[in-house]
Amino acid sequence: MGIGVSLILIAVGAILVWAVEADVSGVDITAVGWILLIVGAVGALLSLIFWSSWGGAGTRRRETVVRDDAPPY
């Protein structure tokens, strides 16, 4: 899940928790909102952790490869 999807889940969850005052038979809208909010937050956290480990946000590692192709003396 990317950071964009996580932000959308957080926004939809927050709207369901704090802005919707509807009664649906068999579904607790507030609970669904909390679940979406938590899943979005965990997804955003994991995206940031993995993004930095892949070199997206942190410092870039550089490797210098020295090849010694000279014939032995």
Side-chain angles (χ1 to χ4, degrees):
M1 169 176 4
I3 199 84
V5 175
S6 297
L7 291 176
I8 289 171
L9 287 176
I10 291 171
V12 170
I15 290 169
L16 289 177
V17 169
W18 292 297
V20 174
E21 295 288 332
D23 289 329
V24 179
S25 141
V27 177
D28 186 6
I29 298 287
T30 305
V32 171
W34 278 113
I35 291 169
L36 290 176
L37 210 137
I38 291 168
V39 168
V42 169
L45 182 67
L46 289 175
S47 292
L48 289 175
I49 289 170
F50 285 120
W51 186 46
S52 66
S53 71
W54 288 330
T59 60
R60 296 198 179 256
R61 297 181 203 136
R62 295 186 182 203
E63 292 184 22
T64 303
V65 177
V66 179
R67 298 177 70 193
D68 187 13
D69 291 337
Y73 293 105

